[in-house]
Amino acid sequence: MKEYKVVPCHGRVVAKPKAELADAFNAFAEIIAQEALGGWELVTVMPVSVVTKKGRTDAAEEPYNALVFTRNVEEEKK
């Protein structure tokens, strides 16, 4: 049997001038490496827009990525 979990990650990457683009993606790599320590394997990444209400009519939208992980779980023997 498999179990799944979703980990949010910012969907906007900000790269400084003259910086290597790979360095800007370190947040993704760190999350994946950390989850792998717990036996989780990355399955897919899905873009998600999160809307935060700011009063009755105002709202702010921010892009995120949903990182979906899976791992095998031993079923209890009956």
Side-chain angles (χ1 to χ4, degrees):
M1 187 167 108
K2 291 188 179 257
E3 69 177 319
Y4 296 88
K5 79 173 180 175
V6 178
V7 177
C9 182
H10 280 285
R12 182 176 291 135
V13 175
V14 179
K16 295 181 181 178
K18 298 184 182 179
E20 288 191 34
L21 187 57
D23 291 340
F25 285 90
N26 281 341
F28 288 104
E30 288 175 17
I31 291 171
I32 294 167
Q34 185 66 35
E35 296 300 331
L37 292 175
W40 294 95
E41 181 180 346
L42 181 65
V43 176
T44 191
V45 179
M46 297 181 295
V48 178
S49 293
V50 176
V51 178
T52 306
K53 287 186 130 189
K54 295 182 174 185
R56 288 185 139 176
T57 58
D58 293 335
E61 186 172 341
E62 191 170 354
Y64 277 88
N65 287 306
L67 282 65
V68 180
F69 292 88
T70 187
R71 70 177 174 186
N72 289 325
V73 177
E74 291 186 30
E75 293 185 39
E76 294 183 22
K77 295 181 180 179
K78 295 181 180 181

